[in-house]
Amino acid sequence: MSGPNSDYDPVEVTPLRADEVEAMRDAALDAIAGAQDLAALKQVRLEHAGDRSPLALANREIGALPPQARKEAGARVGKARGEVNKALGQRTAVLEAEHAERILVEETVDVTLPTDRVIAGARHPITTMSERIADVFVSMGWEIAEGPQVEAEWLNFDALNLGPDHPARTMQDTFWLEPAEAALVLRTHTSPVQARTMLTRKPPIYIACPGRVYRTDEIDATHSPVFHQVEGLVIDEGITMAHLKGSLDHFATSMFGDGITTRFRPSYFPFTEPSAEVDLVCFVCRGAAVNEEGDTCRTCRGEGWIEWGGCGVVNPRVLVACGVDPDTYTGFAFGMGIDRTLMFRHNVEDLRDVFEGDVRFTQPFGMEI
Ligand code: PHE
């Protein structure tokens, strides 16, 4: 067994020789000068100035030397380490400055460059039109009612006096949902909201119901399988056709301006009796049927009137089906196309433009508040 080597008294330790220390220092200085970026310099610092670097290891040997040799070696190693640290400091400063400069160049923002034009979205004109219509009725003290687009067959037809074999059912070509036993349809009109309202609340009822409806129509310039209606329903004591006429005249004037009133033409709807088609005074020729040059008005095709919707006095059979006493109450109802109203009001010639979602069409409407 060997004991501690107490008489070990080296005069010289290889790593502490002047040439060795210089070689270590030079290797460190070369590596520092060669580091091209801060990450590389970090690695160099670890290798040449870290705890396990040759100079640090050499430094540990100093203690083993006799005093004189220790002093010399200490000075040598200390000087070398000092030089390395100084070089590291200088190289760090240079690389940091370069880095900052590169970032300034790389991340420069040219504020004078023209930007891509981002088209700000606009609300869909059908939405704005529905709200405008709702406002007309709200300002008369009516309420806005809504109903589901997937509707019970009974509410879409039967409650409105359109029984299973009623010939008028074919007037409204219907999308049926599967399974057939569920008896569900995509509502063909907003009239089921009338039935829903009468079934759930007591008169007096003054409601307008804008909403989306569906029919199996082919798409063309004036038809779409998806379109929008606004339904109006009033149930109160002593309501007559005159109240209906007055309300629709007010509605027409609010939408199209002073002087644009309505006329009724006799018609048929199962849910109203009597029933009428509603026409508007042509808002282009204002009923004259000819334009300023004396030519036939193109908008109303020389009629002086434009078809707008349907209306009538609520059929007592509908009141009974919906739990309203027809001996106490009477009422009126009407239904207009919102899309049609938009087309008239803004001179839109093709209904497809309304539904295709091209921002070039919807954007100008966004300006309307
Ligand atoms: N629901 C009818 C339609 O879609 C319009 C209407 C509503 C007619 C209310 C009279 C009364 O054609």
Side-chain angles (χ1 to χ4, degrees):
M1 229 173 93
S2 58
N5 191 354
S6 47
D7 16 280
Y8 174 65
D9 185 10
V11 180
E12 191 178 67
V13 172
T14 320
L16 292 173
R17 272 181 10 217
D19 57 340
E20 284 290 335
V21 172
E22 265 167 39
M24 289 175 207
R25 181 203 61 193
D26 291 348
L29 295 180
D30 281 354
I32 291 167
Q36 290 308 310
D37 55 37
L38 289 165
L41 190 63
K42 189 176 171 196
Q43 192 56 37
V44 169
R45 182 191 302 276
L46 215 67
E47 278 166 24
H48 294 276
D51 288 347
R52 308 208 53 78
S53 63
L55 278 170
L57 294 177
N59 198 45
R60 289 196 204 154
E61 306 285 348
I62 293 173
L65 292 177
Q68 184 53 34
R70 189 187 305 165
K71 202 171 158 209
E72 283 170 23
R76 206 157 43 235
V77 174
K79 183 162 171 273
R81 296 182 90 192
E83 282 170 19
V84 169
N85 280 332
K86 189 169 164 220
L88 272 171
Q90 284 169 349
R91 189 74 188 138
T92 306
V94 169
L95 289 179
E96 273 176 356
E98 265 179 34
H99 179 71
E101 218 159 285
R102 196 166 46 241
I103 287 203
L104 277 181
V105 173
E106 279 170 6
E107 298 184 1
T108 306
V109 177
D110 182 353
V111 290
T112 66
L113 275 180
T115 56
D116 287 339
R117 277 213 305 165
V118 180
I119 298 178
R123 301 179 75 211
H124 196 277
I126 290 290
T127 310
T128 11
M129 179 56 69
S130 302
E131 286 181 5
R132 181 181 289 271
I133 291 172
D135 284 349
V136 171
F137 291 99
V138 167
S139 69
M140 289 197 286
W142 297 30
E143 289 169 63
I144 305 301
E146 285 184 331
Q149 293 174 34
V150 172
E151 186 56 283
E153 175 190 7
W154 189 83
L155 288 164
N156 193 78
F157 292 123
D158 303 60
L160 299 168
N161 194 32
L162 278 134
D165 301 321
H166 198 294
R169 270 216 191 194
T170 52
M171 279 165 58
Q172 312 208 347
D173 291 322
T174 310
F175 286 111
W176 292 87
L177 270 74
E178 287 181 347
E181 309 84 80
L184 289 172
V185 299
L186 290 181
R187 66 178 178 192
T188 58
H189 50 177
T190 40
S191 303
V193 187
Q194 291 185 27
R196 285 178 170 273
T197 311
M198 287 187 273
L199 283 163
T200 49
R201 27 187 301 194
K202 286 196 178 331
I205 292 171
Y206 289 79
I207 54 161
C209 341
R212 188 169 294 169
V213 300
Y214 303 82
R215 286 184 203 173
T216 58
D217 285 334
E218 295 289 333
I219 301 176
D220 64 25
T222 53
H223 292 87
S224 158
V226 185
F227 57 104
H228 301 81
Q229 282 191 338
V230 57
E231 189 87 5
L233 173 73
V234 167
I235 306 284
D236 206 343
E237 289 179 40
I239 293 292
T240 70
M241 198 101 175
H243 298 112
L244 170 60
K245 183 74 168 64
S247 304
L248 287 178
D249 279 348
H250 176 73
F251 180 23
T253 309
S254 308
M255 298 309 296
F256 297 99
D258 283 346
I260 307 299
T261 51
T262 62
R263 76 171 179 189
F264 287 179
R265 278 181 293 116
S267 185
Y268 175 77
F269 296 104
F271 25 91
T272 46
E273 182 59 35
S275 303
E277 300 282 339
V278 188
D279 294 343
L280 276 176
V281 170
C282 174
F283 45 86
V284 174
C285 66
R286 306 191 75 80
V290 288
N291 64 19
E292 279 163 9
E293 285 82 46
D295 299 329
T296 308
C297 173
R298 292 225 322 255
T299 306
C300 62
R301 298 202 184 86
E303 291 284 322
W305 296 91
I306 295 173
E307 262 186 59
W308 196 23
C311 68
V313 171
V314 179
N315 191 321
R317 291 173 66 101
V318 174
L319 295 179
V320 171
C322 297
V324 174
D325 176 8
D327 294 329
T328 312
Y329 294 106
T330 49
F332 67 74
F334 58 84
M336 311 296 166
I338 296 180
D339 321 79
R340 246 173 109 64
T341 307
L342 177 84
M343 288 173 82
F344 299 156
R345 198 166 177 275
H346 296 273
N347 229 345
V348 177
E349 280 178 2
D350 196 322
L351 181 59
R352 286 168 287 204
D353 288 337
V354 177
F355 294 118
E356 269 168 7
D358 188 328
V359 286
R360 287 171 298 181
F361 173 75
T362 52
Q363 219 192 0
F365 291 93
M367 316 289 172
E368 246 203 318
I369 314 163

